[in-house]
């Protein structure tokens, strides 16, 4: 069963990475609904890396962290999405998104293990930026609820993929490789910042 879950989530993660554009996903959508909301997080490498990293960090740490960081991220991402949909500005959105990739990657690389409340807060702060980007990209005239449900579903799947990969690596006892993954994610974030 674990192998089936791992292969399914690895397939989802790989598809997300292959479908993601190296540019930011914030280009607008034609129709606001579930599918456009679902497509937004997987439409840009910046969102894919950050959301996989949150899941990976949670899976690497284990315990209550497995639900704390992803749920903290999703809760504040919804709040950020509501701000964006309401037209309320948030300064430094793109910088916040790319910084999240660097920070999450470094937390994986250094195996940072905060308590679950702190982990949820850290993930949540960056999630505001991701959510705001999702919310501002919603097309007029569609269903905000369906659009939000779409980006929450895609985010949750990316988190689950990251958790599954990290747990598989933990089972294989490859802590050095886990840390290398974190360093790679952080470097990708830096490349997106300067690129």
């Amino acid at each position: 069963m674990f192998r089936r879950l791992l292969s399914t989530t690895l397939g989802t993660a790989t598809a997300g990475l292959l479908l993601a554009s190296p540019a930011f996903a914030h280009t607008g959508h034609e129709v606001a609904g579930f599918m456009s909301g679902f497509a937004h997080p997987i439409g840009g490498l910046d969102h894919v890396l950050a959301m996989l990293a949150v899941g990976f960090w949670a899976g690497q740490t284990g315990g209550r962290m497995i639900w704390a960081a992803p749920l903290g991220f999703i809760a504040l991402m919804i709040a950020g999405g509501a701000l964006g949909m309401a037209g309320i500005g948030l300064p430094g959105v793109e910088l916040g998104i790319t910084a999240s990739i660097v920070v999450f990657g470094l937390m994986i690389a250094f195996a940072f293990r905060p308590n679950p409340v702190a982990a949820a807060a850290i993930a949540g702060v960056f999630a505001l930026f991701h959510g705001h980007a999702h919310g501002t990209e919603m097309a007029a005239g569609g269903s905000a609820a369906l659009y939000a449900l779409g980006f929450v579903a895609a985010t949750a799947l990316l988190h689950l993929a990251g958790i599954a990969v990290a747990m598989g690596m933990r089972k294989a006892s490859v802590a050095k490789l886990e840390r290398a993954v974190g360093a790679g994610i952080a470097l990708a974030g830096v490349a997106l910042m300067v690129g």
Side-chain angles (χ1 to χ4, degrees):
M1 172 145 165
F2 176 78
R3 287 184 182 192
R4 186 179 310 152
L5 175 64
L6 183 60
S7 66
T8 300
T9 53
L10 282 174
T12 302
T14 302
L17 287 171
L18 292 174
L19 293 172
S21 163
F24 296 110
H26 318 140
T27 58
H29 298 282
E30 305 250 336
V31 178
F34 180 84
M35 288 311 296
S36 61
F38 189 87
H40 194 258
I42 62 172
L45 188 58
D46 51 353
H47 291 305
V48 171
L49 284 172
M51 292 169 191
L52 285 172
V54 168
F56 193 96
W57 180 42
Q60 175 192 40
T61 304
R64 291 184 298 161
M65 174 74 159
I66 287 180
W67 59 266
L71 286 180
F73 189 97
I74 288 171
L76 285 172
M77 180 186 68
I78 292 168
L83 291 173
M85 287 178 198
I88 300 170
L90 185 64
V93 170
E94 294 297 340
L95 181 59
I97 290 170
T98 54
S100 73
I101 301 165
V102 175
V103 170
F104 295 142
L106 290 174
M107 288 190 290
I108 294 166
F110 290 104
F112 180 60
R113 300 181 191 294
N115 70 54
V117 173
I122 292 166
V125 165
F126 289 110
L128 281 170
F129 296 108
H130 288 272
H132 193 274
H134 299 327
T136 58
E137 292 298 316
M138 187 185 86
S143 169
L146 287 175
Y147 180 78
L149 184 61
F151 70 71
V152 167
T155 297
L157 286 174
L158 289 168
H159 288 334
L160 287 172
I163 290 168
V165 170
M167 291 181 77
M169 291 176 83
R170 279 180 59 197
K171 197 170 190 174
S173 300
V174 286
K176 287 183 181 178
L177 184 55
E178 287 177 8
R179 292 177 179 215
V181 167
I185 291 169
L187 287 173
V190 170
L192 286 171
M193 273 186 189
V194 298

